[in-house]
Amino acid sequence: MKFVSWNVNGLRACVGKGDFDKAFSELDADFFCLQETKMQQGQLDLEYLGYESYWNSAEKKGYSGTAVYTRHHPLGVTYGIGKEEHDTEGRVITLEMKEFFLVCVYVPNSQDGLRRLDYRMRWEDDFREYVCALALKKGVVICGDLNVAHEEIDIKNPASNRRNAGFTDEERAKFSQLLSSGFTDTWRSLHPDEVKYSWWSYRFHARENNAGWRIDYFLVSDSLKDRIAGTEIHNEIFGSDHCPVELTLDLQP
């Protein structure tokens, strides 16, 4: 079973460039998860044969937002994590399947000057509580832009980015805490020493120079880690400042 996740940084813009339809068709996923859609459902007529879609849009128009396209009808769909403080920005969609939960998430950015770092810390604790509760019931697949480069290998210039949003000690420690709560970073589990990035700034020719960050992930609960069959980071695909990431699991929907 094939999963793809992509922060499209504005779905309408990505579609307008002509990149999205091509990537969607070529990647041929069972589940195609999107972050930062920046739109309300219905603003774009984007349906694909054989797929149904679920959308969680932010109350603030043109901001945040997630969506999931699936070939497999879920047992249930949940929007948000059940905490009002976090659930107005369209950041989480959970599909319950027979064997697993699929959680598509767009984690809040701590922003310039780390002005949202305190909020980010509350988010991290509440999100970890949410997914750990799911994992008590069945396997969990978490995908999306987690807005953190976990280790120095996951960022081109670790020293100069040490206190920048996405590479603070606090954010990295929260990611470590999530993993130690019973989750596996699927890419790093299969590629322990490989350097590959999923996001590049639009400034300073960062993508051209491959001065990137790996901040887009697939995590699985430890009950599913033996089912990992393959992972990819598709840095050959353009259309956003992020590229799609992929996970293949030996699972039934």
Side-chain angles (χ1 to χ4, degrees):
M1 181 162 294
K2 186 174 179 181
F3 303 77
V4 168
S5 177
W6 193 7
N7 179 323
V8 291
N9 193 10
L11 183 56
R12 287 172 292 176
C14 190
V15 169
K17 295 172 187 174
D19 298 279
F20 185 79
D21 285 346
K22 184 173 185 288
F24 191 96
S25 175
E26 290 181 352
L27 291 173
D28 192 29
D30 291 280
F31 299 89
F32 204 111
C33 302
L34 308 178
Q35 303 87 44
E36 212 171 354
T37 55
K38 295 184 177 179
M39 58 174 278
Q40 312 300 119
Q41 186 175 9
Q43 285 188 293
L44 191 66
D45 183 15
L46 200 65
E47 298 298 328
Y48 295 97
L49 185 65
Y51 288 87
E52 52 192 81
S53 62
Y54 299 90
W55 300 75
N56 191 7
S57 301
E59 290 182 2
K60 178 182 176 181
K61 292 185 177 179
Y63 178 73
S64 188
T66 48
V68 177
Y69 284 85
T70 172
R71 282 178 165 147
H72 309 283
H73 185 69
L75 301 176
V77 181
T78 303
Y79 302 94
I81 61 173
K83 289 189 178 289
E84 187 176 353
E85 180 183 17
H86 306 307
D87 287 349
T88 63
E89 297 185 349
R91 293 190 176 275
V92 179
I93 301 175
T94 303
L95 272 59
E96 181 178 2
M97 311 305 295
K98 183 179 179 181
E99 285 197 70
F100 60 92
F101 291 100
L102 172 62
V103 180
C104 172
V105 57
Y106 176 39
V107 170
N109 191 295
S110 294
Q111 300 187 347
D112 292 341
L114 302 179
R115 62 183 183 272
R116 217 179 185 198
L117 181 61
D118 288 345
Y119 169 72
R120 169 70 178 267
M121 295 296 98
R122 296 195 301 275
W123 160 277
E124 292 284 353
D125 291 339
D126 291 340
F127 182 73
R128 186 178 64 255
E129 179 183 348
Y130 173 72
V131 294
C132 285
L134 294 180
L136 294 175
K137 302 174 185 177
K138 63 179 79 173
V140 179
V141 179
I142 302 169
C143 70
D145 176 0
L146 302 191
N147 255 319
V148 60
H150 184 215
E151 303 288 357
E152 291 192 354
I153 191 175
D154 297 315
I155 186 170
K156 177 69 172 181
N157 298 303
S160 60
N161 282 293
R162 177 75 183 278
R163 286 301 295 167
N164 287 344
F167 199 62
T168 63
D169 294 346
E170 294 92 332
E171 291 163 311
R172 295 169 65 195
K174 289 294 187 184
F175 191 88
S176 294
Q177 191 175 356
L178 176 59
L179 295 182
S180 66
S181 298
F183 291 89
T184 296
D185 175 351
T186 61
W187 166 264
R188 192 54 69 204
S189 71
L190 296 189
H191 306 270
D193 302 311
E194 185 170 350
V195 174
K196 208 166 185 180
Y197 306 123
S198 66
W199 175 78
W200 304 260
S201 170
Y202 280 131
R203 299 182 296 172
F204 311 122
H205 304 285
R207 190 155 188 176
E208 180 181 331
N209 297 321
N210 199 29
W213 302 42
R214 187 176 74 98
I215 60 175
D216 301 89
Y217 296 83
F218 273 98
L219 311 181
V220 297
S221 57
D222 287 347
S223 62
L224 296 179
K225 65 183 179 181
D226 292 337
R227 306 284 193 97
I228 302 169
T231 61
E232 295 289 346
I233 297 177
H234 288 285
N235 58 7
E236 78 282 3
I237 294 178
F238 290 77
S240 169
D241 51 349
H242 297 249
C243 73
V245 295
E246 177 186 315
L247 170 68
T248 304
L249 291 176
D250 290 326
L251 279 178
Q252 297 297 318

